[in-house]
Amino acid sequence: MALTLSPSPCLPHVHVSNSLPPMSILRRLPLIHLKPHKRRLSSLAAAAVRQDTTVWTPAPLAEISPAAESLFHISIDVSDAADLASSHTSPGQYLQLRVADVDKPTFLAIASPPLFAAASGAFEFLVKSVAGSTAEVLCGLKKGDVVEISQVMGRGFDVDRIQPPDEHPTVLIFATGSGISPIRSLIESGFSAKERSDVRLYYGARNLTRMAYQDRFKDWESSGVKIVPVLSQPDAGWSGEAGYVQAAFARAKQIFSPKGTGAVLCGQKQMAEEVTSILVAEGVSTEKILKNF
């Protein structure tokens, strides 16, 4: 699913009151005798303990450079954390990252393909700098600065649901803004795009200066993915698709076999909801519409 990559996974945050009784007292009180509000406090305390089990690994920034307006390419060196590097096994997975002197971590989708970290010793990300956010602080750091990252999280895109290629010849991919990050991971990990007759990526941004990874488009197309850029506020002279991704798709549609169609979505919530509605109305199974959270 910002991560500061949109969209960010929705995870509950637990707040425990400062007046919470000591855990030693709670342990001595059988739950059956606790009043309702004490049982609730006990549950909150247990949830807080579970939330504190995140394992943080310090890692230096290997690279930080502009990727597009307000977007930064960030590479984190995990060569000294082999187990962490090898735990990225599916496109669409993400992790948490925190920086010094900032309390709130940020969620980041991994942009590099699975197994890239194990081979190169680095995780790559596309990060949107949002004023006042942890991501803004991250984007202001420099090579060599140390951050902390969590274990890899989530199951990612369940690509097995749109396999084999001959039974799913059409795969429609939708991304907006920094939501292209885990989509890059999907495309570059390979999902037999060349063996399918119709693989399209509808990629939305405000304008070309806000569109990351344009230097990768040629390689993506050579792998079997047709790129359809969609600009909501294009500059004069733009002759491609204009407006929003969902509108561009609604105009084109071209779903010849709903049962043989799969889809992958990542980006703005409204886009994902409206595209899903169009796909379902056309007969595409919700089981074939993949999201990464």
Side-chain angles (χ1 to χ4, degrees):
M1 254 195 187
L3 272 165
T4 284
L5 288 165
S6 182
S8 59
C10 298
L11 300 176
H13 295 278
V14 179
H15 173 76
V16 182
S17 168
N18 290 331
S19 62
L20 178 66
M23 288 299 293
S24 58
I25 294 176
L26 290 174
R27 282 196 292 267
R28 292 200 299 269
L29 292 174
L31 286 179
I32 191 171
H33 297 305
L34 287 175
K35 292 181 179 180
H37 75 278
K38 288 187 177 180
R39 287 201 298 270
R40 181 173 179 274
L41 288 173
S42 179
S43 298
L44 286 172
V49 170
R50 288 196 299 271
Q51 197 175 47
D52 289 339
T53 60
T54 303
V55 176
W56 294 99
T57 301
L61 297 181
E63 180 184 348
I64 178 164
S65 59
E69 185 179 321
S70 301
L71 293 170
F72 290 82
H73 172 76
I74 290 178
S75 176
I76 297 178
D77 184 349
V78 291
S79 57
D80 290 334
D83 289 345
L84 178 60
S86 63
S87 66
H88 183 208
T89 58
S90 177
Q93 288 180 302
Y94 53 90
L95 50 71
Q96 293 185 77
L97 178 147
R98 65 184 185 184
V99 298
D101 302 321
V102 178
D103 293 334
K104 187 177 181 179
T106 187
F107 286 91
L108 297 176
I110 302 172
S112 44
L115 307 182
F116 177 86
S120 68
F123 284 136
E124 294 184 345
F125 305 89
L126 180 68
V127 183
K128 182 177 181 179
S129 179
V130 178
S133 70
T134 302
E136 181 185 36
V137 178
L138 171 62
C139 293
L141 298 178
K142 60 183 183 300
K143 181 178 178 178
D145 286 342
V146 175
V147 297
E148 289 184 311
I149 55 177
S150 74
Q151 59 268 45
V152 174
M153 307 168 72
R155 292 181 296 178
F157 299 118
D158 188 0
V159 179
D160 287 344
R161 285 194 276 162
I162 56 173
Q163 298 285 18
D166 60 341
E167 295 180 11
H168 304 86
T170 298
V171 176
L172 305 169
I173 308 171
F174 304 88
T176 54
S178 54
I180 193 65
S181 180
I183 297 302
R184 174 200 155 191
S185 181
L186 171 72
I187 294 172
E188 295 184 6
S189 67
F191 59 102
S192 307
K194 276 192 172 180
E195 298 176 33
R196 307 175 195 264
S197 58
D198 180 18
V199 179
R200 284 173 269 160
L201 166 61
Y202 290 86
Y203 176 14
R206 181 179 297 178
N207 51 48
L208 287 177
T209 63
R210 294 286 188 102
M211 183 167 279
Y213 296 146
Q214 293 179 57
D215 58 330
R216 296 177 178 270
F217 285 1
K218 185 176 180 180
D219 288 339
W220 292 358
E221 293 203 316
S222 68
S223 74
V225 180
K226 179 183 177 182
I227 313 295
V228 184
V230 185
L231 306 183
S232 60
Q233 297 179 23
D235 296 328
W238 172 251
S239 59
E241 291 287 348
Y244 294 109
V245 163
Q246 55 269 42
F249 174 58
R251 289 192 294 269
K253 216 170 288 183
Q254 295 177 341
I255 298 177
F256 302 109
S257 173
K259 290 184 178 180
T261 298
V264 186
L265 289 76
C266 191
Q268 186 188 46
K269 181 179 179 181
Q270 182 178 352
M271 178 277 289
E273 291 176 346
E274 293 185 13
V275 166
T276 298
S277 295
I278 296 170
L279 291 168
V280 171
E282 289 294 313
V284 178
S285 169
T286 55
E287 290 297 311
K288 307 294 184 181
I289 302 174
L290 311 185
K291 300 175 184 178
N292 67 327
F293 64 94

